[in-house]
Amino acid sequence: MNKYPFEFDPKQPFIQQASDWIADVFYDKLPEAGFEIRDEQIYMAFQLERAFADKQTIFAEAGVGTGKTFVYLLYAITYARYTRKPAVIACADESLIEQLVKPEGDIAKLGKYLDLTIDARLGKSADQYICLKKLDNARAGQDNAELYDNIYRELPSFVHKQDSMQSFHPYGNRKDYPSLNDDQWNELGWDVFQDCLVCDVRHRCGQTLSRDHYRKSADVIICSHDFYMEHIWTYDARKREGQLPLLPEYSSVVFDEGHLLETAAQQALTYKLNHAVFEGIVIRLLQEEIRETLAVAVEDAIAQSEYLFKMLNKHSQKVPASDRKEIIWSAELIREINRLQDTLSVIEEELVFESGLYTIDTYQLKIVEEHLEMIQFALSLFKQADKPISWVSQDKEGTSLVIMPKVVKEVLKEQVFSRKMPIVFSSATLSVNGSFDYMMDILGMDNSLSFSVPSPYDYEQQMTVEIPKAEQFTALNDKVNETYRLLKQSGGRSLILFPSMEQLEQFKAESDKHADSAAYTFFYEGTSEISYLIEQFQQDEASILCAVTLWEGLDIPGPSLSQVIVWELPFPPNDPLFAARRNDSESPFEQVDMPYMLLRLRQGIGRLIRTREDSGKIVIFGQKMNDSYVREQVEGVLPKGVALSYS
């Protein structure tokens, strides 16, 4: 592999030489391979030259069809070779990653038509891999034991015994098990409560092996936003523990669908407390030869933790269209949190004395101390004047308390944007009403470069947007009946986008009862691995894909996607996270709800037209469309020349 794809003169500025070559690529090399010259793409390339030359952050808002991925990849790859550090491409989710690296994806195309050997490796999130310990538990369970046993038997031989591995052999990836639904995968996939540091099979774990592999990439490491933010938040802690950070030192970072980074940042900064996990960790101390005072302190803490979580479960309520439960706070709940902190403090004091006696295994002691430290810090946030955002979640682990500090902007500013390096936010939807202020505010940024280029497509001729009269379709069965009428018109070939999984499940239940349901093939998010569902939808031209997370990133050109049905305008849910944002805003609806909805709606609309040959219809349901202000805002984000019509 040549270091640079052009003759490099060390006496001249590197970025200028790279930009000249990239211009040749778009003006000559790619057109010779059959690609069209796109003025919007070339304009974006010259804009990115500024960001890489001056090592600045840039908002690159480029419409569908501009070829923005080619632009940022060429700059990222050449700059990585110049600095001898890989670039990081952080995508909004795993399905976007798969589209970038698939055999016919943009990286493969650049390699083929430019005769480049590109070293691109995946850094997937931990929850995308099998946990060998959870797999053992699943095999011993009553549900689907045979299924999980077959998965176990198909793992590479070195997993079962101490075979030597001759070369990197990825295994255990969520994508390798497309037929598993989300509930089945959750039985064996890694989750936040797994204690990897003390796992005796961690060196044979698919997640660990993949991490060793992607760290050696010369050009590009591709990961999710969640994974990148986990790297940021755990960087110092991993260094303290003698571990390598999740990502190696890198030269630049691109946030593809960058408007979603704030959500990933908030998720990464959360603390998730669970009684069963806490008990499982501290009870290890009782298995050692410890003093009676420490044993009593541990038992008191377990009892207090169990009582607190019973209280939390009792004093929380389900939030519609959200997987979170809102906590009904009271003086009693705060008092029980303080009592748990007091009992943990007693354990910490006893451990200081116990460590001097060397009766507890040093490694076990370290694990317990760090877990107690994390719980103490998370609970201490409730004593601050500016209370944290918190909620309760319910899953197979039982009740969990989730705590999110209100410092996301500050941490992003300090640990991401303060670094002197090129940072690119790439998306078709980064501005609201022509301004980037909303994105800069939620990310805590003081300044940045920015530009917008429109899509080259003729939306006026290629797209129609239809609004069913909302008052006619207020009941669920009415909306389902209207949906089937629309599906009949389009011959299937539709993407139905839902604001929440709850609404998708409601549609599925009602749709299954419809007289015409057998005439169509429906693919529902959550029933299989997402990239597998997308592939099936694309191959079965008349099918319908129902999804919650595919408002952005889905790229299905051709007749397989000829209609996008927006089941409901994607306003944010009334859960604790957005409630906190609204409380901090002077005009919640205009400053929080509306910008969020408009960005997401623009993304959803962008799923329809992917080439100059595509055409189709957008249908937007929702009573809020009767509100003249909302309708005016929606009309404002439609592509130029496209008007609303009523059916």
Side-chain angles (χ1 to χ4, degrees):
M1 177 173 67
N2 294 327
K3 184 173 181 181
Y4 305 120
F6 53 86
E7 290 293 329
F8 173 58
D9 182 356
K11 297 179 182 179
Q12 300 297 322
F14 173 79
I15 291 299
Q16 181 60 59
Q17 296 178 72
S19 295
D20 290 343
W21 174 75
I22 291 170
D24 289 340
V25 167
F26 292 132
Y27 278 120
D28 299 319
K29 296 180 184 297
L30 289 181
E32 287 173 3
F35 292 84
E36 63 181 292
I37 295 178
R38 301 177 184 177
D39 293 337
E40 298 86 358
Q41 189 177 49
I42 293 168
Y43 177 78
M44 177 177 175
F46 284 115
Q47 296 299 312
L48 257 60
E49 178 185 350
R50 291 191 299 157
F52 277 82
D54 299 334
K55 300 179 183 178
Q56 292 194 57
T57 298
I58 187 167
F59 286 109
E61 184 176 60
V64 176
T66 55
K68 54 184 173 288
T69 308
F70 275 8
V71 181
Y72 73 61
L73 279 173
L74 290 175
Y75 272 102
I77 291 167
T78 52
Y79 193 67
R81 295 184 181 184
Y82 175 64
T83 58
R84 299 183 182 181
K85 297 176 184 177
V88 171
I89 311 295
C91 300
D93 55 39
E94 304 298 335
S95 62
L96 282 166
I97 291 174
E98 294 296 339
Q99 294 202 43
L100 192 61
V101 300
K102 61 187 178 182
E104 66 278 16
D106 286 339
I107 290 177
K109 288 176 182 175
L110 285 178
K112 177 181 178 180
Y113 295 116
L114 300 181
D115 194 26
L116 277 175
T117 301
I118 301 172
D119 185 8
R121 308 189 188 190
L122 295 184
K124 287 204 165 189
S125 299
D127 61 6
Q128 294 295 304
Y129 289 95
I130 285 176
C131 169
L132 297 177
K133 291 295 189 182
K134 286 183 68 176
L135 178 57
D136 283 343
N137 293 336
R139 291 168 61 213
Q142 296 181 345
D143 297 330
N144 300 309
E146 184 177 355
L147 169 67
Y148 298 133
D149 198 54
N150 289 335
I151 291 173
Y152 174 81
R153 295 179 187 280
E154 292 171 0
L155 295 178
S157 60
F158 64 80
V159 178
H160 306 301
K161 53 187 178 181
Q162 297 295 334
D163 284 0
S164 60
M165 188 172 62
Q166 302 301 318
S167 61
F168 172 66
H169 183 82
Y171 83 91
N173 190 324
R174 172 72 173 101
K175 191 173 183 295
D176 298 334
Y177 306 95
S179 61
L180 295 183
N181 61 40
D182 287 356
D183 289 338
Q184 290 170 330
W185 174 257
N186 289 338
E187 289 296 316
L188 71 160
W190 182 91
D191 63 58
V192 69
F193 295 124
Q194 301 311 304
D195 196 354
C196 298
L197 282 176
V198 295
C199 180
D200 58 342
V201 294
R202 63 186 181 278
H203 298 303
R204 286 180 276 155
C205 169
Q207 176 197 159
T208 304
L209 295 173
S210 295
R211 186 170 297 164
D212 291 340
H213 176 69
Y214 72 67
R215 290 182 61 87
K216 298 180 177 68
S217 174
D219 290 332
V220 178
I221 297 173
I222 304 162
C223 65
S224 66
H225 289 177
D226 290 342
F227 187 80
Y228 178 84
M229 296 316 306
E230 184 184 355
H231 161 74
I232 293 296
W233 305 145
T234 62
Y235 184 89
D236 291 335
R238 293 181 68 86
K239 296 269 279 193
R240 284 197 307 269
E241 295 165 1
Q243 301 183 75
L244 290 172
L246 294 181
L247 291 169
E249 289 298 311
Y250 48 90
S251 55
S252 65
V253 58
V254 177
F255 296 111
D256 200 341
E257 303 298 355
H259 63 287
L260 297 175
L261 180 65
E262 186 224 10
T263 302
Q266 288 173 318
Q267 291 173 347
L269 197 55
T270 58
Y271 297 88
K272 193 171 184 179
L273 312 185
N274 178 279
H275 170 69
V277 174
F278 166 72
E279 183 177 15
I281 288 177
V282 298
I283 207 167
R284 296 172 182 175
L285 298 175
L286 300 181
Q287 299 168 359
E288 307 281 348
E289 294 183 4
I290 59 175
R291 293 170 300 113
E292 184 178 355
T293 52
L294 175 56
V296 170
V298 169
E299 290 171 353
D300 287 347
I302 291 173
Q304 178 60 25
S305 172
E306 184 175 25
Y307 181 70
L308 172 62
F309 278 91
K310 284 182 180 178
M311 291 278 292
L312 286 168
N313 197 40
K314 180 180 178 182
H315 296 281
S316 59
Q317 60 186 17
K318 181 79 172 66
V319 177
S322 173
D323 58 359
R324 300 176 176 128
K325 295 174 68 178
E326 182 180 9
I327 301 171
I328 311 302
W329 286 105
S330 65
E332 183 183 11
L333 262 183
I334 294 294
R335 187 166 59 248
E336 297 306 327
I337 285 176
N338 293 336
R339 282 178 178 169
L340 178 58
Q341 279 197 278
D342 292 342
T343 61
L344 296 181
S345 296
V346 174
I347 295 178
E348 289 174 322
E349 292 170 2
E350 291 289 340
L351 286 177
V352 172
F353 186 82
E354 197 77 36
S355 63
L357 301 177
Y358 301 102
T359 56
I360 304 176
D361 176 77
T362 305
Y363 197 61
Q364 293 286 354
L365 180 62
K366 181 180 178 183
I367 296 300
V368 174
E369 286 177 333
E370 288 188 353
H371 193 74
L372 293 178
E373 182 181 348
M374 181 272 290
I375 295 176
Q376 286 280 45
F377 176 78
L379 295 180
S380 70
L381 296 173
F382 289 106
K383 294 182 178 179
Q384 297 180 0
D386 195 11
K387 294 288 190 294
I389 303 166
S390 56
W391 64 86
V392 164
S393 65
Q394 198 79 33
D395 52 32
K396 60 184 179 59
E397 299 287 348
T399 300
S400 295
L401 172 61
V402 186
I403 304 169
M404 178 188 294
K406 292 183 178 179
V407 294
V408 172
K409 290 198 289 188
E410 288 80 357
V411 178
L412 279 170
K413 185 175 182 179
E414 178 183 342
Q415 300 192 33
V416 178
F417 302 122
S418 65
R419 301 188 64 175
K420 190 67 175 173
M421 68 164 54
I423 300 175
V424 179
F425 284 82
S426 174
S427 175
T429 56
L430 289 169
S431 66
V432 178
N433 296 325
S435 170
F436 294 91
D437 290 348
Y438 173 72
M439 286 298 303
M440 291 184 65
D441 178 60
I442 64 175
L443 293 171
M445 296 173 59
D446 294 327
N447 54 71
S448 71
L449 303 173
S450 64
F451 69 90
S452 294
V453 289
S455 169
Y457 299 147
D458 186 356
Y459 285 100
E460 187 174 2
Q461 298 298 319
Q462 294 177 257
M463 174 193 289
T464 59
V465 180
E466 189 175 290
I467 311 291
K469 291 184 179 178
E471 64 271 13
Q472 297 178 10
F473 306 111
T474 54
L476 177 60
N477 64 321
D478 290 335
K479 287 179 73 173
V480 171
N481 288 335
E482 174 65 5
T483 300
Y484 270 88
R485 185 187 71 81
L486 294 166
L487 294 177
K488 186 175 182 180
Q489 286 182 350
S490 63
R493 300 182 178 88
S494 298
L495 168 69
I496 308 179
L497 291 171
F498 296 85
S500 69
M501 189 59 72
E502 182 179 350
Q503 292 188 51
L504 182 149
E505 294 291 349
Q506 290 171 353
F507 170 82
K508 183 177 185 301
E510 191 67 26
S511 175
D512 288 345
K513 297 184 290 186
H514 196 278
D516 295 334
S517 63
Y520 300 97
T521 299
F522 287 88
F523 296 108
Y524 291 97
E525 182 174 349
T527 58
S528 295
E529 193 271 332
I530 190 66
S531 61
Y532 173 77
L533 285 176
I534 293 171
E535 182 182 353
Q536 296 300 301
F537 169 62
Q538 188 168 15
Q539 291 177 355
D540 187 344
E541 185 177 309
S543 63
I544 299 103
L545 177 60
C546 301
V548 175
T549 64
L550 296 179
W551 292 80
E552 48 270 311
L554 183 67
D555 186 15
I556 307 289
S560 291
L561 206 172
S562 299
Q563 178 172 249
V564 174
I565 299 175
V566 176
W567 184 252
E568 196 79 36
L569 287 176
F571 283 101
N574 292 314
D575 66 11
L577 174 57
F578 284 97
R581 291 190 196 174
R582 294 182 185 102
N583 289 337
D584 293 338
S585 173
E586 293 181 2
S587 303
F589 187 70
E590 290 80 7
Q591 296 177 351
V592 177
D593 292 14
M594 188 61 73
Y596 176 93
M597 183 278 286
L598 292 176
L599 284 176
R600 203 151 177 79
L601 180 63
R602 285 176 65 193
Q603 283 288 341
I605 290 172
R607 298 315 98 211
L608 183 64
I609 306 299
R610 309 303 298 179
T611 70
R612 294 188 189 276
E613 289 71 41
D614 286 349
S615 63
K617 178 167 65 177
I618 304 287
V619 180
I620 304 176
F621 282 108
Q623 285 185 289
K624 286 190 172 68
M625 288 300 292
N626 288 333
D627 185 314
S628 59
Y629 173 71
V630 173
R631 191 167 59 251
E632 180 183 336
Q633 294 296 309
V634 169
E635 288 176 327
V637 301
L638 296 180
K640 185 178 180 180
V642 177
L644 294 175
S645 62
Y646 289 86
S647 61

